[in-house]
PDB file of all heavy atoms in Angstrom:
ATOM      1  N   ARG A   1     -19.202  19.062 -40.804  1.00 75.00           N
ATOM      2  CA  ARG A   1     -18.435  20.069 -40.006  1.00 75.00           C
ATOM      3  C   ARG A   1     -17.215  19.502 -39.325  1.00 75.00           C
ATOM      4  O   ARG A   1     -16.533  20.215 -38.605  1.00 75.00           O
ATOM      5  CB  ARG A   1     -19.378  20.702 -38.960  1.00 75.00           C
ATOM      6  CG  ARG A   1     -20.391  21.666 -39.611  1.00 75.00           C
ATOM      7  CD  ARG A   1     -21.145  22.442 -38.511  1.00 75.00           C
ATOM      8  NE  ARG A   1     -20.186  23.334 -37.773  1.00 75.00           N
ATOM      9  CZ  ARG A   1     -20.469  23.876 -36.705  1.00 75.00           C
ATOM     10  NH1 ARG A   1     -21.657  23.648 -36.006  1.00 75.00           N
ATOM     11  NH2 ARG A   1     -19.574  24.585 -35.991  1.00 75.00           N
ATOM     12  N   GLY A   2     -17.066  18.174 -39.297  1.00 80.00           N
ATOM     13  CA  GLY A   2     -15.848  17.652 -38.563  1.00 80.00           C
ATOM     14  C   GLY A   2     -16.179  17.492 -37.131  1.00 80.00           C
ATOM     15  O   GLY A   2     -17.212  17.311 -36.660  1.00 80.00           O
ATOM     16  N   GLU A   3     -15.087  17.749 -36.303  1.00 85.00           N
ATOM     17  CA  GLU A   3     -15.254  17.685 -34.943  1.00 85.00           C
ATOM     18  C   GLU A   3     -16.085  18.738 -34.321  1.00 85.00           C
ATOM     19  O   GLU A   3     -15.755  19.850 -34.572  1.00 85.00           O
ATOM     20  CB  GLU A   3     -13.913  17.636 -34.250  1.00 85.00           C
ATOM     21  CG  GLU A   3     -13.919  17.372 -32.718  1.00 85.00           C
ATOM     22  CD  GLU A   3     -12.617  17.211 -32.161  1.00 85.00           C
ATOM     23  OE1 GLU A   3     -11.761  16.416 -32.758  1.00 85.00           O
ATOM     24  OE2 GLU A   3     -12.299  17.802 -31.113  1.00 85.00           O
ATOM     25  N   LEU A   4     -17.124  18.458 -33.505  1.00 83.00           N
ATOM     26  CA  LEU A   4     -17.910  19.461 -32.918  1.00 83.00           C
ATOM     27  C   LEU A   4     -17.630  19.632 -31.436  1.00 83.00           C
ATOM     28  O   LEU A   4     -17.767  20.780 -30.910  1.00 83.00           O
ATOM     29  CB  LEU A   4     -19.372  19.003 -33.049  1.00 83.00           C
ATOM     30  CG  LEU A   4     -19.953  18.865 -34.457  1.00 83.00           C
ATOM     31  CD1 LEU A   4     -21.385  18.426 -34.470  1.00 83.00           C
ATOM     32  CD2 LEU A   4     -19.848  20.176 -35.259  1.00 83.00           C
ATOM     33  N   ALA A   5     -17.238  18.557 -30.762  1.00 87.00           N
ATOM     34  CA  ALA A   5     -17.032  18.685 -29.348  1.00 87.00           C
ATOM     35  C   ALA A   5     -16.098  17.487 -28.879  1.00 87.00           C
ATOM     36  O   ALA A   5     -16.168  16.468 -29.506  1.00 87.00           O
ATOM     37  CB  ALA A   5     -18.263  18.766 -28.520  1.00 87.00           C
ATOM     38  N   GLU A   6     -15.400  17.768 -27.762  1.00 93.00           N
ATOM     39  CA  GLU A   6     -14.567  16.745 -27.158  1.00 93.00           C
ATOM     40  C   GLU A   6     -14.750  16.782 -25.640  1.00 93.00           C
ATOM     41  O   GLU A   6     -14.642  17.894 -25.044  1.00 93.00           O
ATOM     42  CB  GLU A   6     -13.144  16.862 -27.507  1.00 93.00           C
ATOM     43  CG  GLU A   6     -12.206  15.801 -26.958  1.00 93.00           C
ATOM     44  CD  GLU A   6     -10.717  15.967 -27.298  1.00 93.00           C
ATOM     45  OE1 GLU A   6     -10.373  17.150 -27.678  1.00 93.00           O
ATOM     46  OE2 GLU A   6     -10.010  15.076 -27.149  1.00 93.00           O
ATOM     47  N   LEU A   7     -15.016  15.662 -25.040  1.00 93.00           N
ATOM     48  CA  LEU A   7     -15.144  15.569 -23.560  1.00 93.00           C
ATOM     49  C   LEU A   7     -14.047  14.641 -23.048  1.00 93.00           C
ATOM     50  O   LEU A   7     -13.944  13.440 -23.491  1.00 93.00           O
ATOM     51  CB  LEU A   7     -16.507  15.095 -23.190  1.00 93.00           C
ATOM     52  CG  LEU A   7     -16.788  14.886 -21.692  1.00 93.00           C
ATOM     53  CD1 LEU A   7     -16.764  16.211 -20.960  1.00 93.00           C
ATOM     54  CD2 LEU A   7     -18.135  14.292 -21.511  1.00 93.00           C
ATOM     55  N   ILE A   8     -13.180  15.133 -22.160  1.00 95.00           N
ATOM     56  CA  ILE A   8     -12.168  14.271 -21.493  1.00 95.00           C
ATOM     57  C   ILE A   8     -12.526  14.057 -20.008  1.00 95.00           C
ATOM     58  O   ILE A   8     -12.692  15.087 -19.406  1.00 95.00           O
ATOM     59  CB  ILE A   8     -10.824  14.853 -21.635  1.00 95.00           C
ATOM     60  CG1 ILE A   8     -10.448  15.077 -23.170  1.00 95.00           C
ATOM     61  CG2 ILE A   8      -9.769  13.914 -20.927  1.00 95.00           C
ATOM     62  CD1 ILE A   8     -10.380  13.896 -24.039  1.00 95.00           C
ATOM     63  N   ILE A   9     -12.649  12.742 -19.610  1.00 95.00           N
ATOM     64  CA  ILE A   9     -13.006  12.542 -18.211  1.00 95.00           C
ATOM     65  C   ILE A   9     -11.863  11.709 -17.512  1.00 95.00           C
ATOM     66  O   ILE A   9     -11.516  10.672 -18.091  1.00 95.00           O
ATOM     67  CB  ILE A   9     -14.335  11.782 -18.186  1.00 95.00           C
ATOM     68  CG1 ILE A   9     -15.420  12.456 -18.894  1.00 95.00           C
ATOM     69  CG2 ILE A   9     -14.776  11.630 -16.642  1.00 95.00           C
ATOM     70  CD1 ILE A   9     -16.710  11.610 -19.135  1.00 95.00           C
ATOM     71  N   THR A  10     -11.414  12.205 -16.440  1.00 95.00           N
ATOM     72  CA  THR A  10     -10.361  11.591 -15.667  1.00 95.00           C
ATOM     73  C   THR A  10     -10.989  11.262 -14.272  1.00 95.00           C
ATOM     74  O   THR A  10     -12.065  11.704 -13.997  1.00 95.00           O
ATOM     75  CB  THR A  10      -9.045  12.326 -15.503  1.00 95.00           C
ATOM     76  OG1 THR A  10      -9.332  13.422 -14.663  1.00 95.00           O
ATOM     77  CG2 THR A  10      -8.583  12.810 -16.842  1.00 95.00           C
ATOM     78  N   PRO A  11     -10.289  10.525 -13.416  1.00 92.00           N
ATOM     79  CA  PRO A  11     -10.958  10.329 -12.119  1.00 92.00           C
ATOM     80  C   PRO A  11     -11.039  11.570 -11.237  1.00 92.00           C
ATOM     81  O   PRO A  11     -11.752  11.568 -10.187  1.00 92.00           O
ATOM     82  CB  PRO A  11      -9.874   9.355 -11.394  1.00 92.00           C
ATOM     83  CG  PRO A  11      -9.259   8.648 -12.649  1.00 92.00           C
ATOM     84  CD  PRO A  11      -9.160   9.575 -13.662  1.00 92.00           C
ATOM     85  N   THR A  12     -10.355  12.615 -11.609  1.00 92.00           N
ATOM     86  CA  THR A  12     -10.406  13.884 -10.906  1.00 92.00           C
ATOM     87  C   THR A  12     -11.072  15.088 -11.490  1.00 92.00           C
ATOM     88  O   THR A  12     -11.362  16.112 -10.816  1.00 92.00           O
ATOM     89  CB  THR A  12      -9.076  14.297 -10.361  1.00 92.00           C
ATOM     90  OG1 THR A  12      -8.253  14.432 -11.501  1.00 92.00           O
ATOM     91  CG2 THR A  12      -8.346  13.191  -9.545  1.00 92.00           C
ATOM     92  N   ALA A  13     -11.270  15.001 -12.739  1.00 94.00           N
ATOM     93  CA  ALA A  13     -11.899  16.208 -13.479  1.00 94.00           C
ATOM     94  C   ALA A  13     -12.496  15.807 -14.825  1.00 94.00           C
ATOM     95  O   ALA A  13     -12.184  14.646 -15.350  1.00 94.00           O
ATOM     96  CB  ALA A  13     -10.834  17.202 -13.637  1.00 94.00           C
ATOM     97  N   ALA A  14     -13.203  16.738 -15.369  1.00 94.00           N
ATOM     98  CA  ALA A  14     -13.810  16.553 -16.623  1.00 94.00           C
ATOM     99  C   ALA A  14     -13.532  17.891 -17.467  1.00 94.00           C
ATOM    100  O   ALA A  14     -13.743  18.963 -16.825  1.00 94.00           O
ATOM    101  CB  ALA A  14     -15.255  16.176 -16.660  1.00 94.00           C
ATOM    102  N   THR A  15     -13.241  17.780 -18.710  1.00 94.00           N
ATOM    103  CA  THR A  15     -12.980  18.979 -19.544  1.00 94.00           C
ATOM    104  C   THR A  15     -13.739  18.776 -20.867  1.00 94.00           C
ATOM    105  O   THR A  15     -13.705  17.719 -21.478  1.00 94.00           O
ATOM    106  CB  THR A  15     -11.545  18.981 -19.941  1.00 94.00           C
ATOM    107  OG1 THR A  15     -10.726  19.190 -18.656  1.00 94.00           O
ATOM    108  CG2 THR A  15     -11.130  20.364 -20.658  1.00 94.00           C
ATOM    109  N   ILE A  16     -14.481  19.826 -21.164  1.00 91.00           N
ATOM    110  CA  ILE A  16     -15.228  19.906 -22.522  1.00 91.00           C
ATOM    111  C   ILE A  16     -14.544  20.970 -23.382  1.00 91.00           C
ATOM    112  O   ILE A  16     -14.264  22.101 -22.938  1.00 91.00           O
ATOM    113  CB  ILE A  16     -16.749  20.064 -22.313  1.00 91.00           C
ATOM    114  CG1 ILE A  16     -17.470  19.825 -23.564  1.00 91.00           C
ATOM    115  CG2 ILE A  16     -16.997  21.445 -21.735  1.00 91.00           C
ATOM    116  CD1 ILE A  16     -18.968  19.664 -23.437  1.00 91.00           C
ATOM    117  N   LYS A  17     -14.409  20.685 -24.649  1.00 90.00           N
ATOM    118  CA  LYS A  17     -13.868  21.636 -25.644  1.00 90.00           C
ATOM    119  C   LYS A  17     -15.027  21.825 -26.667  1.00 90.00           C
ATOM    120  O   LYS A  17     -15.341  20.818 -27.396  1.00 90.00           O
ATOM    121  CB  LYS A  17     -12.643  21.210 -26.219  1.00 90.00           C
ATOM    122  CG  LYS A  17     -11.474  20.945 -25.221  1.00 90.00           C
ATOM    123  CD  LYS A  17     -10.221  20.356 -25.865  1.00 90.00           C
ATOM    124  CE  LYS A  17      -9.161  19.974 -24.844  1.00 90.00           C
ATOM    125  NZ  LYS A  17      -7.946  19.416 -25.515  1.00 90.00           N
ATOM    126  N   VAL A  18     -15.372  23.081 -26.936  1.00 84.00           N
ATOM    127  CA  VAL A  18     -16.373  23.306 -27.881  1.00 84.00           C
ATOM    128  C   VAL A  18     -16.204  24.675 -28.549  1.00 84.00           C
ATOM    129  O   VAL A  18     -16.041  25.688 -27.747  1.00 84.00           O
ATOM    130  CB  VAL A  18     -17.840  23.304 -27.286  1.00 84.00           C
ATOM    131  CG1 VAL A  18     -18.902  23.646 -28.369  1.00 84.00           C
ATOM    132  CG2 VAL A  18     -18.224  22.016 -26.558  1.00 84.00           C
ATOM    133  N   ASP A  19     -16.062  24.717 -29.822  1.00 81.00           N
ATOM    134  CA  ASP A  19     -15.807  26.017 -30.713  1.00 81.00           C
ATOM    135  C   ASP A  19     -14.712  26.877 -30.017  1.00 81.00           C
ATOM    136  O   ASP A  19     -14.828  28.006 -29.904  1.00 81.00           O
ATOM    137  CB  ASP A  19     -17.151  26.779 -30.581  1.00 81.00           C
ATOM    138  CG  ASP A  19     -18.223  26.172 -31.498  1.00 81.00           C
ATOM    139  OD1 ASP A  19     -17.962  25.306 -32.341  1.00 81.00           O
ATOM    140  OD2 ASP A  19     -19.377  26.507 -31.379  1.00 81.00           O
ATOM    141  N   GLY A  20     -13.626  26.202 -29.702  1.00 83.00           N
ATOM    142  CA  GLY A  20     -12.484  26.872 -29.275  1.00 83.00           C
ATOM    143  C   GLY A  20     -12.474  27.146 -27.724  1.00 83.00           C
ATOM    144  O   GLY A  20     -11.562  27.691 -27.224  1.00 83.00           O
ATOM    145  N   GLU A  21     -13.666  26.868 -27.055  1.00 87.00           N
ATOM    146  CA  GLU A  21     -13.773  27.121 -25.674  1.00 87.00           C
ATOM    147  C   GLU A  21     -13.512  25.839 -24.883  1.00 87.00           C
ATOM    148  O   GLU A  21     -13.859  24.800 -25.259  1.00 87.00           O
ATOM    149  CB  GLU A  21     -15.138  27.714 -25.322  1.00 87.00           C
ATOM    150  CG  GLU A  21     -15.367  27.958 -23.865  1.00 87.00           C
ATOM    151  CD  GLU A  21     -16.772  28.317 -23.508  1.00 87.00           C
ATOM    152  OE1 GLU A  21     -17.580  28.195 -24.326  1.00 87.00           O
ATOM    153  OE2 GLU A  21     -17.034  28.686 -22.349  1.00 87.00           O
ATOM    154  N   GLN A  22     -12.754  25.933 -23.855  1.00 91.00           N
ATOM    155  CA  GLN A  22     -12.471  24.816 -22.991  1.00 91.00           C
ATOM    156  C   GLN A  22     -12.883  25.109 -21.532  1.00 91.00           C
ATOM    157  O   GLN A  22     -12.565  26.132 -20.958  1.00 91.00           O
ATOM    158  CB  GLN A  22     -11.051  24.476 -22.964  1.00 91.00           C
ATOM    159  CG  GLN A  22     -10.572  23.287 -22.071  1.00 91.00           C
ATOM    160  CD  GLN A  22      -9.154  22.943 -22.230  1.00 91.00           C
ATOM    161  OE1 GLN A  22      -8.787  22.655 -23.412  1.00 91.00           O
ATOM    162  NE2 GLN A  22      -8.349  22.817 -21.214  1.00 91.00           N
ATOM    163  N   VAL A  23     -13.730  24.139 -20.947  1.00 90.00           N
ATOM    164  CA  VAL A  23     -14.313  24.353 -19.609  1.00 90.00           C
ATOM    165  C   VAL A  23     -13.982  23.078 -18.835  1.00 90.00           C
ATOM    166  O   VAL A  23     -14.202  21.990 -19.272  1.00 90.00           O
ATOM    167  CB  VAL A  23     -15.742  24.656 -19.626  1.00 90.00           C
ATOM    168  CG1 VAL A  23     -16.353  24.808 -18.148  1.00 90.00           C
ATOM    169  CG2 VAL A  23     -16.113  25.980 -20.456  1.00 90.00           C
ATOM    170  N   GLN A  24     -13.498  23.217 -17.576  1.00 92.00           N
ATOM    171  CA  GLN A  24     -13.321  22.153 -16.694  1.00 92.00           C
ATOM    172  C   GLN A  24     -14.138  22.100 -15.465  1.00 92.00           C
ATOM    173  O   GLN A  24     -14.517  23.236 -15.012  1.00 92.00           O
ATOM    174  CB  GLN A  24     -11.803  22.112 -16.309  1.00 92.00           C
ATOM    175  CG  GLN A  24     -11.323  20.901 -15.606  1.00 92.00           C
ATOM    176  CD  GLN A  24      -9.839  20.940 -15.292  1.00 92.00           C
ATOM    177  OE1 GLN A  24      -9.372  21.712 -14.507  1.00 92.00           O
ATOM    178  NE2 GLN A  24      -9.037  20.056 -16.114  1.00 92.00           N
ATOM    179  N   SER A  25     -14.478  20.842 -14.972  1.00 91.00           N
ATOM    180  CA  SER A  25     -15.308  20.799 -13.810  1.00 91.00           C
ATOM    181  C   SER A  25     -14.873  19.435 -12.995  1.00 91.00           C
ATOM    182  O   SER A  25     -14.302  18.542 -13.660  1.00 91.00           O
ATOM    183  CB  SER A  25     -16.713  20.641 -14.190  1.00 91.00           C
ATOM    184  OG  SER A  25     -17.582  20.252 -13.090  1.00 91.00           O
ATOM    185  N   PRO A  26     -15.049  19.398 -11.717  1.00 91.00           N
ATOM    186  CA  PRO A  26     -14.734  18.142 -11.008  1.00 91.00           C
ATOM    187  C   PRO A  26     -15.590  17.094 -11.390  1.00 91.00           C
ATOM    188  O   PRO A  26     -15.322  15.835 -11.236  1.00 91.00           O
ATOM    189  CB  PRO A  26     -14.942  18.534  -9.589  1.00 91.00           C
ATOM    190  CG  PRO A  26     -14.854  20.046  -9.490  1.00 91.00           C
ATOM    191  CD  PRO A  26     -15.423  20.550 -10.785  1.00 91.00           C
ATOM    192  N   SER A  27     -16.855  17.370 -11.953  1.00 88.00           N
ATOM    193  CA  SER A  27     -17.799  16.311 -12.287  1.00 88.00           C
ATOM    194  C   SER A  27     -18.160  16.341 -13.727  1.00 88.00           C
ATOM    195  O   SER A  27     -18.605  17.371 -14.278  1.00 88.00           O
ATOM    196  CB  SER A  27     -19.134  16.501 -11.342  1.00 88.00           C
ATOM    197  OG  SER A  27     -20.211  15.807 -11.974  1.00 88.00           O
ATOM    198  N   ALA A  28     -18.066  15.155 -14.495  1.00 90.00           N
ATOM    199  CA  ALA A  28     -18.550  15.115 -15.707  1.00 90.00           C
ATOM    200  C   ALA A  28     -20.030  15.246 -15.930  1.00 90.00           C
ATOM    201  O   ALA A  28     -20.527  15.929 -16.836  1.00 90.00           O
ATOM    202  CB  ALA A  28     -18.090  13.781 -16.365  1.00 90.00           C
TER     203      ALA A  28
END
């Protein structure tokens, strides 16, 4: 299926991308 999910973590936020949806939070 190729790429299933991506999680990006920076010192100030975390972002998850799954099935076209993107959600951000201060905490990974």
Side-chain angles (χ1 to χ4, degrees):
R1 290 191 60 195
E3 183 175 314
L4 300 176
E6 181 180 18
L7 177 65
I8 304 295
I9 305 169
T10 70
T12 58
T15 304
I16 193 168
K17 301 176 184 178
V18 180
D19 288 344
E21 179 184 10
Q22 179 172 308
V23 179
Q24 190 174 69
S25 170
S27 164

